[in-house]
């Protein structure tokens, strides 16, 4: 079976979400016993929101022993870029990352959620944060604001997704002055996390709302991660965009609008996408913490 | 008195709640009444880590063992202050006026 992967050459987030849907719906049709061609030949543009979900889907195919081969992009620059960002399996070690500190991207990282990998994972996350801060502005000004968002999004994967792997990819667009950052898991979705804690009848949309309203699945003193991150990214001088895709629903916020919407597909897990503008301003992150 | 260097056993930016397990491993054979958790060379801690390490502190207090945080920088002290103050409050429900969209989504 041939799966033609579709991409949009657009900076806008909505078309990327729609394209992701087409690709996800194509992947659903893949059968393990078929010889499958994943056709990237038309690929002319890549951003973290388009490519990280695809990386995780391909890794999942490989893990489940599906037969497939990838038809590489005809655009040789894109082909080189995919190789450079470690598409599709990502990097897992600190050493691989340290060699790329001078680049405008942080390659695809897949981090196992396993107790024996805890120390390696923490060091890798620390390095990721350092590199990100070097790209988007003055580290001293941004470490707490961006660090808060970054760490909370990763912690959500380990705490809630019940998946064996978390994914990350970031690209800094120097000419545009912003960084696109994507966190992803193939876990139980936000709704699934609430269901596990007894709220069995809620929908994906209600679960996203509850998560954004600060209702924790954990103990009563927690649950602020998504709420605070959303405010930090969109209401501070980072002047960013914040997107969640989980199950059949999505949520988007920037300074101009806030939207909860249906997807025409199902994402098994949760994707968080941030677009953060480079800034030299110092951000007092405590203003955004309730 | 035992001292544990957190940058050494975890990292200089401490991300996750689970990383507290690395501290637990260090504490497992210790019999001292007072243990210093040294944040020297730690630049940043996440809210989740701060919350969990405060849980650890309370847990050890019940065993009459004091965990003392030393050499916290301004940002880390601030994070502990915020997390501690949140722990004493009832959870807030933040009502955002999110609309369910029936109409086509705006371009973004």
């Amino acid at each position: 079976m041939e799966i033609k992967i579709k991409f949009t050459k657009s900076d806008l987030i909505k078309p990327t979400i729609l394209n992701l849907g087409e690709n996800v719906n194509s992947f659903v049709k893949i059968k393990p016993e078929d010889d499958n061609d994943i056709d990237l030949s038309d690929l002319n543009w890549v951003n973290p929101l388009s490519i990280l979900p695809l990386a995780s889907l391909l890794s999942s195919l490989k893990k489940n022993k599906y037969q497939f081969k990838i038809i590489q992009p005809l655009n040789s620059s894109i082909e080189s870029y995919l190789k450079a960002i470690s598409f599709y399996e990502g990097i897992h070690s600190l050493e691989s990352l340290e060699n790329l500190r001078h680049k405008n991207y942080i390659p695809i990282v897949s981090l196992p959620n396993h107790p024996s990998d805890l120390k390696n994972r923490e060091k890798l996350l620390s390095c990721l944060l350092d590199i990100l801060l070097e790209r988007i502005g003055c580290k001293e000004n941004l470490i707490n604001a961006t660090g808060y968002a970054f760490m909370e999004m990763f912690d959500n994967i380990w705490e809630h997704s019940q998946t064996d792997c978390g994914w990350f990819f970031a690209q800094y667009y120097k000419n545009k002055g912003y960084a696109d950052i994507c966190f992803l898991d193939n876990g139980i979705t936000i709704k699934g996390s609430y269901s596990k804690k007894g709220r069995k009848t809620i929908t994906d949309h209600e679960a996203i709302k509850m998560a954004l309203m600060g209702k924790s699945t954990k103990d009563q003193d927690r649950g602020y991660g998504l709420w605070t991150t959303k405010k930090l990214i969109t209401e501070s001088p980072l002047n960013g965009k914040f997107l969640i895709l989980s199950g059949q629903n999505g949520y988007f916020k920037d300074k101009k609008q806030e939207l909860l919407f249906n997807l025409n597909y199902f994402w098994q897990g949760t994707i968080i996408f941030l677009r953060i503008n480079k800034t030299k301003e110092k951000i007092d992150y405590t203003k955004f913490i309730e | 008195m035992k001292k544990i260097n957190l940058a050494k056993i975890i990292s200089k930016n401490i991300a996750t709640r689970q990383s507290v397990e690395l501290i637990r491993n260090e504490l497992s054979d210790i019999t001292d009444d007072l243990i210093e958790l040294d944040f020297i060379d730690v630049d940043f801690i996440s809210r989740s880590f701060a919350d969990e390490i405060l849980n650890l502190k309370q847990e050890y207090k019940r065993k009459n063992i004091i965990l003392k945080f030393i050499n916290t920088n301004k940002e880390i002290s601030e994070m502990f202050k915020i997390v501690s103050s949140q722990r004493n409050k009832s959870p807030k429900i933040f009502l955002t006026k999110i609309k369910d969209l029936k109409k086509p989504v705006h371009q973004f």
Side-chain angles (χ1 to χ4, degrees):
Chain A
M1 180 175 188
E2 184 176 287
I3 308 291
K4 187 86 172 171
I5 297 298
K6 295 181 181 166
F7 287 89
T8 176
K9 188 167 182 172
S10 171
D11 294 340
L12 295 172
I13 294 169
K14 178 187 162 189
T16 310
I17 295 170
L18 294 173
N19 263 127
L20 173 58
E22 291 188 57
N23 295 330
V24 167
N25 286 337
S26 296
F27 265 76
V28 167
K29 296 173 191 164
I30 293 176
K31 292 184 187 131
E33 61 273 13
D34 288 350
D35 287 325
N36 299 292
D37 287 342
I38 311 297
D39 186 356
L40 304 180
S41 57
D42 288 347
L43 187 56
N44 274 306
W45 176 252
V46 166
N47 71 35
L49 183 59
S50 63
I51 207 71
L52 192 63
L54 183 60
S56 76
L57 289 172
L58 289 170
S59 284
S60 184
L61 289 185
K62 183 174 177 183
K63 185 180 160 187
N64 293 302
K65 301 195 189 325
Y66 281 58
Q67 302 299 317
F68 69 96
K69 78 169 190 286
I70 295 173
I71 300 170
Q72 295 295 336
L74 293 171
N75 182 323
S76 57
S77 302
I78 297 289
E79 188 183 2
S80 301
Y81 179 73
L82 290 183
K83 196 172 172 190
I85 64 171
S86 300
F87 180 80
Y88 58 88
E89 291 181 277
I91 63 163
H92 320 284
S93 73
L94 189 58
E95 293 72 31
S96 315
L97 194 57
E98 288 285 3
N99 296 334
L100 299 170
R101 274 189 176 263
H102 59 289
K103 298 288 186 186
N104 282 328
Y105 57 82
I106 298 175
I108 293 171
V109 176
S110 68
L111 285 177
N113 184 15
H114 193 277
S116 64
D117 289 315
L118 192 50
K119 190 165 182 177
N120 177 53
R121 196 176 75 197
E122 288 296 320
K123 290 202 180 297
L124 191 50
L125 289 175
S126 178
C127 188
L128 289 176
L129 178 60
D130 268 350
I131 297 173
L132 193 60
L133 289 169
E134 281 165 21
R135 291 290 162 266
I136 62 172
C138 171
K139 182 175 176 178
E140 289 71 36
N141 290 350
L142 294 183
I143 185 166
N144 273 346
T146 311
Y148 185 101
F150 180 85
M151 304 296 199
E152 287 298 318
M153 295 305 96
F154 258 115
D155 196 63
N156 279 347
I157 294 176
W158 314 134
E159 289 293 308
H160 299 296
S161 71
Q162 297 196 16
T163 185
D164 55 4
C165 184
W167 293 81
F168 177 84
F169 173 41
Q171 172 72 52
Y172 174 60
Y173 300 98
K174 197 173 173 183
N175 295 338
K176 295 173 187 172
Y178 62 71
D180 279 352
I181 303 161
C182 195
F183 306 83
L184 178 152
D185 69 71
N186 300 115
I188 59 172
T189 74
I190 297 174
K191 170 192 161 182
S193 184
Y194 279 106
S195 290
K196 287 257 170 191
K197 296 290 179 178
R199 296 182 195 255
K200 290 195 186 300
T201 56
I202 65 168
T203 60
D204 285 310
H205 134 216
E206 287 163 343
I208 292 174
K209 252 185 171 175
M210 284 174 69
L212 288 166
M213 290 195 313
K215 272 196 170 185
S216 177
T217 63
K218 304 169 295 231
D219 302 329
Q220 66 175 14
D221 289 324
R222 294 148 59 173
Y224 301 103
L226 279 178
W227 166 264
T228 306
T229 300
K230 173 192 77 167
K231 284 172 69 76
L232 263 171
I233 297 298
T234 62
E235 296 174 22
S236 76
L238 291 173
N239 192 24
K241 299 178 191 292
F242 176 86
L243 174 75
I244 302 173
L245 303 175
S246 188
Q248 291 182 307
N249 287 103
Y251 168 87
F252 171 81
K253 186 177 188 296
D254 64 10
K255 262 197 172 132
K256 293 181 189 169
Q257 59 188 324
E258 186 173 21
L259 312 165
L260 192 61
F261 52 88
N262 296 319
L263 299 172
N264 64 346
Y265 55 98
F266 183 87
W267 179 260
Q268 182 62 59
T270 301
I271 299 172
I272 305 282
F273 173 80
L274 313 175
R275 179 166 286 172
I276 297 179
N277 288 290
K278 188 175 170 83
T279 179
K280 289 182 183 168
E281 280 191 59
K282 186 166 174 65
I283 298 172
D284 181 2
Y285 79 109
T286 61
K287 286 184 182 164
F288 302 92
I289 295 181
E290 293 291 334
Chain B
M1 182 179 64
K2 176 83 180 177
K3 191 190 282 189
I4 297 173
N5 183 315
L6 297 188
K8 212 170 165 182
I9 66 157
I10 308 176
S11 176
K12 67 181 188 131
N13 297 312
I14 305 180
T16 66
R17 195 174 288 278
Q18 288 177 348
S19 60
V20 168
E21 292 307 306
L22 294 168
I23 303 173
R24 273 188 202 284
N25 293 342
E26 293 289 315
L27 292 172
S28 58
D29 294 330
I30 292 174
T31 54
D32 300 55
D33 295 341
L34 174 62
I35 301 162
E36 288 181 336
L37 300 184
D38 191 353
F39 284 79
I40 193 140
D41 297 328
V42 178
D43 289 340
F44 178 80
I45 61 171
S46 72
R47 208 202 109 265
S48 300
F49 172 79
D51 184 67
E52 194 64 20
I53 201 171
L54 288 173
N55 288 340
L56 186 73
K57 188 172 179 172
Q58 279 179 351
E59 180 190 322
Y60 270 73
K61 192 178 175 186
R62 288 193 284 272
K63 298 181 202 176
N64 296 319
I65 298 169
I66 307 295
L67 298 185
K68 188 179 173 189
F69 303 156
I70 62 169
N71 296 319
T72 53
N73 66 23
K74 186 182 162 210
E75 283 76 26
I76 292 172
S77 299
E78 192 67 43
M79 185 63 86
F80 276 127
K81 204 169 144 188
I82 287 167
V83 172
S84 296
S85 69
Q86 284 177 340
R87 287 158 80 89
N88 297 325
K89 285 184 188 169
S90 318
K92 277 187 184 177
I93 305 299
F94 308 110
L95 294 172
T96 59
K97 292 176 185 172
I98 299 172
K99 292 178 185 170
D100 293 338
L101 294 171
K102 309 263 189 250
K103 293 179 186 175
V105 177
H106 301 291
Q107 197 56 278
F108 59 87

